[in-house]
Amino acid sequence: MSLWYGGDYNPEQWDPAVWKEDVDLMRQAGVNLVTVGVFSWSSLEPAPGEYDFAWLDQVLDLLHDGGVKVDLATPTASPPPWFSRLHPEALPVTADGVRLTHGSRDTYCVCAPAYRDAARGIARALAERYDDHPALAMWHVHNEYGTTCYCTFAAERFRGWLRERYGSLDRLNEAWTTAFWSQRYAEWADIEPPRATQYLVNPTQYLDYRRFWSDELLAAYLDQKAVLREHSAAPITTNFVFGGWVPVNHARWAAEVDVVAIDHYPDHAGIGAEEQTAFGADLARAWAGGKPWLLMEQAAGGLNTGERWHTKEPGRMARHSLSHVARGSRGALFFQWRASRGGAEMYHSAMVPHAGADSARFREVAQLGSVLPRLAEVAGSTVVAEVAILWDAECWWAMQGTHLPSSSLDYLAAVRSAHRHFWHADVTVDFAAPDADLSSYRVVVVPSLYLVSDETAENLAAYVESGGQLVVGYFSGIVDPDVRVRLGGYPGAFAELLGVRVEEFHPLSGEVALASGGRGRVWSEDVEAVSAEVVDRYAGGVLDGKPAVTRRQVGTGTAWYVSTELDDDTAADLVSRLAGAGRSAGGLVETVRRRDGGVTWVFFINHGDADAVVPAVGTELVAGAAVNGELVVPAGGYAVVREA
Ligand code: GLA
């Protein structure tokens, strides 16, 4: 097993004379896998049904001769202009009712029959031609499924999905609470997607559209997967993209890909980008069920995320790559191999920048390419984690509705902050699905699990009963899967387990003091400790003296409730109390342990600007040297030790 190294290769943007140089440079850089053809539909099918494969034949042969494997893409994320001319009805419609035009990418609706046919058609043509090409390592269906549409095809499919889910209009009316604001439906045909409307949208309609859209996109992926599978036994995947705009339940999709692949472009400032790298990698590993997954795209250097330009200082690209690999990635791939000369993303960094191969960026790329083969032995191992954080896409979507009691409530921010606290304590965490078997974890953290099913509540209660330490965050357990409040006092589904009862929320605009000396932010609640012990209290303000943090013994376990967003120091105290941890090296060394049978490896990634000394015994793989107790990880550098 080896680690994959490479990126998106878009030869159709270049003169054939460049292709030969590309392959030579790939060899120099240690590249062994490239994704080809993601956006080449108009080059492959210049007119309906007329294919031009000559250039791709040549490219794949060149790559094969150079020892570079191919992750061959179906180009369906960007239909050619002729497709939109012939099928204007397949162009996507925004929630505001604007039909988008050609000129960017992702200008299609997955519900449009003509689009689905055309996508199957080009996938079939590629599969028939390249199923036995020796360079083919993997199929890459589409690109970053996520584009939403609100057209009439989508409306029709949505109604079909709702009929399946609810069976009857009575059941739908109840789930959607349509008695409110006179929304009661008497005909299926009256139901529309949550398009732009006068005021707040129905929360369940909104959530169901996201659930539906995830299923609909998945159906479009499965269409292509079936076509490819008819012709080829190679692994099939698609690159997951993560973001608030993406209605894809990756945890569910993961069952349909042969390897979970993610694109990751951290956009936080400063050390936030490193926290975010670990966050995305840990999520990918959760979707992959703990098994290896693949970082399909990242930026080799700077990029513009719309808000600002993100720089990757020397060494940072390698550390981010290593952090992904440490956390389970089967390699490190980039968007893209060669920086484009023109086009919408021409200033996006690449492995070969505009300056050419005689550049610091390319030298750094080649340097990393020379290191990864020395780490190949970790490829099949799994990450060791004793703490889990719950992740639920549906809860996130529910909290993206416009009905919440405070616009500061933010599911993703709450989960990120929990993850960040453990990252800063250098504790590796897994993300876990609400229905996962949690018994192997010492600690399970549940940030703002607003929407929760009875089954999830039972799963968490059973975890505590049998000895687990559960930490439930504020604004959890409030609604059921229909986004209907669980009556009788918050935190509804968890009130009994936590031994607390809340009658009223107190969203915060600033901070509130805690008796321990800490501070709470974002949110607070009027907590009554019914059968729980009070760990910390609000000090001052309307909740003065009321419980802020509680703890209850249940069976052989403990259930904590944290009713506000804790400041970093107070959260760090809680983390060290729960996980008994703290950064041993003092600085910013990220430590991740991997295991395969009796063999363990430790990754040390030093994000700080001072050398760090870490305890280690074994063989350091990058330098190939024995380590006998202490290892210096240079500032901005990394080391990987196979433990003795
Ligand atoms: C995504 C896409 C790529 C490219 C990059 C830019 O990951 O898949 O085509 O647009 O973003 O960051």
Side-chain angles (χ1 to χ4, degrees):
M1 230 186 239
S2 56
L3 293 170
W4 295 116
Y5 192 54
D8 277 27
Y9 180 38
N10 297 306
E12 67 275 23
Q13 295 176 19
W14 298 96
D15 192 84
V18 181
W19 301 346
K20 177 78 182 57
E21 184 196 325
D22 281 331
V23 176
D24 289 345
L25 289 175
M26 285 176 193
R27 292 174 72 110
Q28 253 185 62
V31 165
N32 57 14
L33 182 70
V34 289
T35 301
V36 181
V38 182
F39 291 111
S40 44
W41 199 343
S42 64
S43 306
L44 289 170
E45 194 179 354
E50 273 175 36
Y51 298 107
D52 176 5
F53 289 120
W55 67 271
L56 187 55
D57 291 351
Q58 212 185 322
V59 167
L60 295 197
D61 291 350
L62 270 173
L63 289 165
H64 177 62
D65 293 345
V68 179
K69 289 284 181 195
V70 170
D71 171 28
L72 189 57
T74 65
T76 51
S78 200
W82 58 253
F83 176 81
S84 306
R85 173 174 27 87
L86 295 179
H87 300 287
E89 82 287 359
L91 285 163
V93 174
T94 66
D96 292 322
V98 176
R99 192 176 285 280
L100 302 176
T101 55
H102 211 89
S104 181
R105 64 179 184 188
D106 288 295
T107 38
Y108 55 81
C109 170
V110 289
C111 296
Y115 170 76
R116 289 282 265 272
D117 286 348
R120 269 191 298 263
I122 186 69
R124 179 168 299 106
L126 284 163
E128 283 171 355
R129 190 162 187 101
Y130 298 110
D131 65 310
D132 58 358
H133 196 285
L136 179 71
M138 190 183 320
W139 290 100
H140 179 298
V141 176
H142 199 84
N143 189 64
E144 298 190 333
Y145 278 102
T147 307
T148 309
C149 176
Y150 297 83
C151 73
T152 50
F153 292 121
E156 198 48 49
R157 302 278 303 171
F158 184 41
R159 288 176 205 122
W161 184 92
L162 291 168
R163 276 176 190 266
E164 279 274 301
R165 182 175 175 89
Y166 294 111
S168 72
L169 275 177
D170 282 349
R171 175 67 195 104
L172 177 138
N173 280 312
E174 185 197 347
W176 286 21
T177 319
T178 54
F180 189 76
W181 280 352
S182 178
Q183 292 176 355
R184 193 164 186 83
Y185 292 99
E187 299 283 345
W188 289 99
D190 291 342
I191 302 175
E192 298 289 352
R195 298 195 182 111
T197 188
Q198 150 63 18
Y199 186 41
L200 307 178
V201 69
N202 181 308
T204 321
Q205 179 186 10
Y206 174 83
L207 173 60
D208 273 348
Y209 201 67
R210 301 215 118 199
R211 288 170 168 148
F212 152 69
W213 202 256
S214 179
D215 289 354
E216 194 61 30
L217 290 174
L218 183 61
Y221 163 80
L222 290 175
D223 264 10
Q224 291 196 46
K225 182 182 170 187
V227 167
L228 296 174
R229 195 46 88 227
E230 269 173 42
H231 299 273
S232 164
I236 300 173
T237 192
T238 182
N239 50 339
F240 290 171
V241 61
F242 181 80
W245 58 277
V246 181
V248 168
N249 192 334
H250 297 111
R252 288 189 45 205
W253 278 53
E256 303 294 350
V257 295
D258 293 318
V259 56
V260 164
I262 65 158
D263 296 350
H264 202 195
Y265 295 91
D267 57 2
H268 285 201
I271 196 70
E274 279 69 37
E275 298 161 5
Q276 211 180 344
T277 297
F279 177 89
D282 290 341
L283 260 185
R285 186 175 69 259
W287 297 331
K291 292 199 281 297
W293 50 276
L294 182 59
L295 173 66
M296 189 66 95
E297 287 183 28
Q298 65 172 333
L303 83 151
N304 176 6
T305 55
E307 278 154 37
R308 63 190 183 88
W309 178 259
H310 297 265
T311 305
K312 278 192 180 159
E313 300 82 355
R316 203 167 191 192
M317 177 277 280
R319 289 199 307 280
H320 284 194
S321 300
L322 263 284
S323 178
H324 285 108
V325 171
R327 291 167 191 277
S329 176
R330 278 282 321 268
L333 277 70
F334 298 83
F335 174 85
Q336 60 179 332
W337 164 251
R338 191 182 273 281
S340 302
R341 185 161 198 182
E345 293 186 329
M346 61 180 159
Y347 295 115
H348 194 291
S349 58
M351 300 170 83
V352 181
H354 288 146
D358 182 10
S359 59
R361 189 59 66 198
F362 182 73
R363 280 186 283 278
E364 193 174 0
V365 162
Q367 161 68 17
L368 179 60
S370 74
V371 167
L372 289 181
R374 295 176 229 165
L375 311 183
E377 63 185 62
V378 305
S381 61
T382 52
V383 172
V384 180
E386 294 187 332
V387 175
I389 296 177
L390 229 69
W391 170 261
D392 185 14
E394 291 200 3
C395 179
W396 186 16
W397 299 341
M399 284 182 67
Q400 288 176 330
T402 47
H403 64 289
L404 298 187
S406 159
S407 58
S408 301
L409 286 164
D410 180 335
Y411 180 70
L412 181 61
V415 178
R416 278 214 161 122
S417 128
H419 186 269
R420 191 167 62 82
H421 296 314
F422 284 96
W423 188 85
H424 279 279
D426 203 19
V427 175
T428 306
V429 306
D430 281 346
F431 283 105
D435 58 352
D437 174 2
L438 302 167
S439 56
S440 68
Y441 298 108
R442 277 206 297 142
V443 180
V444 172
V445 182
V446 180
S448 294
L449 197 68
Y450 169 58
L451 175 145
V452 61
S453 68
D454 294 348
E455 294 73 25
T456 299
E458 282 159 23
N459 188 32
L460 294 172
Y463 166 73
V464 184
E465 282 282 346
S466 52
Q469 294 201 72
L470 180 75
V471 185
V472 175
Y474 60 91
F475 203 59
S476 289
I478 310 289
V479 297
D480 67 15
D482 293 336
V483 202
R484 283 162 68 86
V485 169
R486 293 173 173 279
L487 302 176
Y490 316 123
F494 300 125
E496 199 183 316
L497 175 67
L498 300 168
V500 300
R501 184 162 182 274
V502 174
E503 290 183 20
E504 287 198 19
F505 302 136
H506 288 270
L508 297 171
S509 48
E511 289 191 336
V512 62
L514 302 175
S516 62
R519 330 259 324 155
R521 292 184 292 108
V522 180
W523 187 256
S524 62
E525 296 170 1
D526 190 349
V527 179
E528 181 196 345
V530 178
S531 58
E533 169 196 343
V534 179
V535 177
D536 203 350
R537 293 181 185 275
Y538 292 104
V542 280
L543 298 180
D544 186 38
K546 296 282 181 73
V549 178
T550 63
R551 183 174 56 188
R552 176 170 177 249
Q553 282 298 128
V554 184
T556 49
T558 317
W560 297 69
Y561 187 51
V562 181
S563 68
T564 183
E565 177 72 36
L566 300 176
D567 70 274
D568 286 358
D569 288 344
T570 311
D573 286 347
L574 183 58
V575 164
S576 83
R577 212 160 151 180
L578 292 163
R583 263 178 207 283
S584 46
L588 273 174
V589 179
E590 176 177 341
T591 312
V592 182
R593 183 165 268 104
R594 304 271 298 250
R595 179 183 295 138
D596 189 359
V599 189
T600 54
W601 294 264
V602 194
F603 283 71
F604 299 103
I605 306 167
N606 186 354
H607 300 292
D609 48 17
D611 292 358
V613 180
V614 296
V617 177
T619 307
E620 200 285 310
L621 302 178
V622 180
V627 190
N628 296 313
E630 278 192 345
L631 176 68
V632 178
V633 188
Y638 53 85
V640 183
V641 175
R642 184 200 311 119
E643 296 187 289

